[in-house]
Amino acid sequence: MEKKSFYKAFDVKFPGLKLGEHSFDFQVNDDFFNQYEDSLVTKSNVAVKLILDKQSEVLYILNFEFNGSINLLCDRCLTQFDLPINENYRLIMKVDSEIENNEDVDIIFVSSHDLVFNVADYLYEFILIQLPLKVSCDMADLECDEEMTSKFDEIVIKENDTEENNPWAKLQELKNKFKED
């Protein structure tokens, strides 16, 4: 899928909309994350509903509803599992002819000459925000693979048992050296 056609699927045409709420549906799946280089997520199935509330000719409130799951690897046992996602986010968009002078971080400014507003990057960022720092099977009410965790434990114990990796051995050497002096 070409980048241009990929992004076009996430365009929201806002000029000409009547005042009030307007609904847009998007599907965020594997193809979506393949468009982003080095993405932390590669597999997903997330339905996104955008409720665009046109307050005036220049002010829009965008409410995003995320429902679905993303596939992650457990940090403890490397098991793949689906993490459920059910979150809502809100953006405020203002149409302004002088967007370069505005520095308000809470409002997205769009040029009055733009005919579409692309939400793809916002969807990507909202999903990444939902990723936990530590990923474990228990987040999806699963048990870690005991065979894999025991193998990791064996490797860690072997590495820590060597003299060169033992920080206490170095301290013992220093202690003995000071006793001799």
Side-chain angles (χ1 to χ4, degrees):
M1 180 185 293
E2 283 185 39
K3 280 257 190 212
K4 283 186 178 184
S5 63
F6 161 74
Y7 276 103
K8 200 170 196 146
F10 297 94
D11 282 347
V12 175
K13 297 177 183 171
F14 61 92
L17 292 175
K18 294 180 181 179
L19 292 179
E21 292 186 353
H22 305 273
S23 181
F24 301 89
D25 294 315
F26 304 101
Q27 190 64 34
V28 178
N29 53 27
D30 306 351
D31 292 334
F32 178 86
F33 286 102
N34 289 338
Q35 299 299 317
Y36 291 90
E37 197 171 310
D38 299 326
S39 176
L40 296 174
V41 177
T42 55
K43 295 180 181 179
S44 71
N45 185 18
V46 180
V48 181
K49 184 174 190 166
L50 166 61
I51 309 286
L52 186 144
D53 186 5
K54 184 175 181 177
Q55 302 281 308
S56 69
E57 291 300 320
V58 295
L59 184 64
Y60 299 81
I61 297 175
L62 290 77
N63 292 302
F64 296 88
E65 299 172 6
F66 291 80
N67 291 302
S69 63
I70 54 174
N71 191 274
L72 299 174
L73 278 176
C74 176
D75 291 339
R76 294 183 200 151
C77 67
L78 300 178
T79 300
Q80 286 190 332
F81 67 94
D82 289 332
L83 179 70
I85 289 183
N86 297 305
E87 290 291 331
N88 297 324
Y89 293 95
R90 179 178 167 169
L91 290 176
I92 299 172
M93 181 175 77
K94 185 174 180 186
V95 179
D96 195 344
S97 59
E98 298 180 21
I99 59 173
E100 60 272 354
N101 296 334
N102 297 313
E103 296 180 10
D104 192 333
V105 294
D106 295 331
I107 299 175
I108 297 167
F109 289 91
V110 178
S111 171
S112 58
H113 303 294
D114 288 342
L115 300 175
V116 296
F117 179 69
N118 190 281
V119 297
D121 290 338
Y122 293 100
L123 299 180
Y124 179 74
E125 289 176 13
F126 287 147
I127 290 174
L128 289 186
I129 287 171
Q130 297 177 57
L131 294 178
L133 292 176
K134 283 188 171 183
V135 179
S136 63
C137 290
D138 58 353
M139 300 172 105
D141 296 327
L142 300 172
E143 296 285 327
C144 277
D145 182 352
E146 288 185 33
E147 182 181 342
M148 189 63 107
T149 55
S150 64
K151 286 182 182 180
F152 283 137
D153 289 342
E154 287 175 23
I155 292 170
V156 169
I157 290 169
K158 285 179 185 176
E159 287 179 359
N160 287 338
D161 282 345
T162 62
E163 277 297 312
E164 59 194 47
N165 289 337
N166 187 349
W168 303 115
K170 298 276 186 192
L171 289 173
Q172 189 63 38
E173 286 177 29
L174 285 172
K175 184 178 172 185
N176 293 338
K177 184 177 179 179
F178 284 115
K179 279 186 180 180
E180 292 173 6
D181 292 337

